[in-house]
Structure formats: structure tokens, C-alpha cells
Amino acid sequence: MSTTTVPPHVRLANEVAVQFAHQPFEVAAAAVATHLRDFWEPRMRAALLAHVASGGEGLDPMAVRAAELLRPAD
């Protein structure tokens, strides 16, 4: 995935993940998930979850974990 074709939800999730990278992984992933829940509109969160479900190409592992934490419980 080139930088010119990176979807906004991927680019932004990665940028948020960078801001929390100094924390332990699970703590940081939870903080990223909280940020996404609090500040992203539902369409962006849905796009992120769909992207993760299709393989998560280009996503920081912390952003992937945050998306997993956003998934509704079954």
C-alpha cells in the first residue's frame, strides 16, 4: 500500500497509535481504542473495523489491537 493510497482511517489510526507508543502495548492499545471511540465518528470506526477484518494491511499492530477492543462483544 503506497502512501498515496492509504485510506484515511488507516493513516489516522496509525497517527494516534504513534502518540501512545511510549506506553506498554496493551495500555496504549486501550488508550487508542478510547480515543477512537470518543473522537471518531461511527463511519470511521466502521471503516477501520472492516479494514482489520479484511487483513489490516498497513495498520500499526497497536491500531489493530485497538480496533479489536472496539469490536462489539458477541
Side-chain angles (χ1 to χ4, degrees):
M1 182 180 298
S2 74
T3 57
T4 58
T5 61
V6 176
H9 54 275
V10 171
R11 180 179 54 80
L12 293 171
N14 287 342
E15 288 177 4
V16 173
V18 166
Q19 299 304 313
F20 294 97
H22 64 282
Q23 297 179 351
F25 186 83
E26 283 298 321
V27 172
V32 171
T34 298
H35 176 87
L36 301 181
R37 190 177 299 111
D38 290 348
F39 297 105
W40 281 28
E41 64 179 38
R43 291 182 300 172
M44 287 288 285
R45 289 192 307 270
L48 180 64
L49 291 175
H51 189 83
V52 169
S54 69
E57 181 182 358
L59 273 173
D60 182 288
M62 188 184 306
V64 172
R65 179 65 182 132
E68 292 168 352
L69 294 172
L70 288 174
R71 254 190 226 123
D74 294 330

